[in-house]
Amino acid sequence: MLFQSFRSGSSGNLLLLATAATRLVIEFGIRTKRESLQVLETIGVGYGPVTAVLISHLHADHASPYGLATLAESGIPVHLPGKARIGAALPANLAINWYDRRPFAIGDITVTPRPVRHAPGVPTYGFIAGSRDDGCERKAGIFTDLSCWDEALLQELAVCDFIYLECNHDRQLLRENPNFASRYHLANPNAALLVRTLLQRGSRPCAIMLGHLSHERNRPELAQSAVEAELCAVQEDAR
């Protein structure tokens, strides 16, 4: 499997998980129709036509109105959480597949949705996505928006070869630029502690990507240093 982040953050999210046969876009929070068409063209030229789009929840930075309208016009099917259908204003001609906790297939990728805590009243999921290649199964854990983590999530991530994890804000920058909604997102130290706990239990993913960084309340170097500090602690514990 191949993974690429095209957009990440409060201004919009769009991720790609691809195999030789399937191009699965995860999130489609593109603000304009023009940008939506451009990113679909970019993926098409680089990897092939988009097979389907998978949305974790219906906040605009994950499923924008212009983005959904573009998908409807393009005939690309969209997978949405079943509970989101209540009160959701969606394009009438959008090809929708409603999902719940049960695993389902998109091409040769098997998706297992996992409910996570996020904003009140907004059903939100993370995903464990797996695919087989030459008899070997690879799994990716993709969790873009969550306010906390627990034992159940640790167990899900423990079997993943690749993890995309929210690392939303630095607490000092949040104090300098208060934002009520930040309480519904994972702070750098919390994400770092999750990574440390996984490693201490023997989990060894091939790679971990930190995503959904706030533009105003985080910096890439701050997120990275928070995780590196916990990794150093793991190495010290192992000595």
Side-chain angles (χ1 to χ4, degrees):
M1 291 192 295
L2 176 146
F3 181 89
Q4 183 170 344
S5 173
F6 283 86
R7 301 279 194 284
S8 179
S10 55
S11 61
N13 297 271
L14 191 147
L15 315 170
L16 174 68
L17 186 64
T19 66
T22 305
R23 276 73 55 191
L24 174 59
V25 168
I26 302 174
E27 319 292 25
F28 208 87
I30 307 302
R31 291 186 169 184
T32 68
K33 182 176 180 180
R34 180 179 180 181
E35 281 185 286
S36 298
L37 291 171
Q38 286 176 341
V39 75
L40 289 176
E41 181 180 3
T42 297
I43 294 172
V45 170
Y47 306 96
V50 171
T51 306
V53 173
L54 177 61
I55 303 294
S56 64
H57 63 295
L58 288 180
H59 277 163
D61 58 327
H62 294 259
S64 72
Y66 285 110
L68 293 177
T70 303
L71 294 175
E73 293 175 7
S74 302
I76 297 174
V78 180
H79 295 258
L80 297 174
K83 291 182 180 179
R85 72 178 69 199
I86 302 174
L90 301 170
N93 57 338
L94 186 64
I96 302 176
N97 297 287
W98 302 103
Y99 68 79
D100 52 27
R101 297 186 180 203
R102 290 171 292 184
F104 59 93
I106 299 177
D108 61 350
I109 297 176
T110 299
V111 176
T112 303
R114 289 296 180 242
V116 296
R117 292 185 181 181
H118 184 38
V122 182
T124 304
Y125 287 78
F127 308 106
I128 305 295
S131 182
R132 284 191 170 275
D133 183 21
D134 294 330
C136 181
E137 185 177 26
R138 301 295 184 189
K139 289 187 176 182
I142 302 166
F143 290 80
T144 60
D145 277 34
L146 64 164
S147 60
C148 61
W149 53 272
D150 55 17
E151 180 63 29
L153 181 58
L154 284 174
Q155 292 180 9
E156 295 290 346
L157 293 176
V159 299
C160 292
D161 302 283
F162 169 81
I163 297 171
Y164 179 91
L165 180 66
E166 177 177 49
C167 206
N168 181 257
H169 58 274
D170 172 78
R171 287 173 175 163
Q172 178 58 41
L173 289 181
L174 178 60
R175 284 190 286 269
E176 296 173 6
N177 302 279
N179 178 37
F180 180 86
S182 293
R183 68 185 62 195
Y184 305 129
H185 294 272
L186 207 60
N188 291 350
N190 291 344
L193 183 58
L194 187 158
V195 173
R196 175 180 178 175
T197 306
L198 276 176
L199 298 183
Q200 286 177 323
R201 294 188 178 189
S203 177
R204 292 292 184 271
C206 297
I208 298 174
M209 181 182 291
L210 305 177
H212 209 283
L213 276 66
S214 169
H215 294 301
E216 296 181 359
R217 300 167 188 87
N218 210 353
R219 303 286 185 273
E221 60 272 17
L222 294 176
Q224 183 175 346
S225 64
V227 173
E228 286 178 346
E230 294 292 354
L231 296 181
C232 290
V234 172
Q235 291 177 339
E236 288 296 327
D237 291 344
R239 291 176 182 174

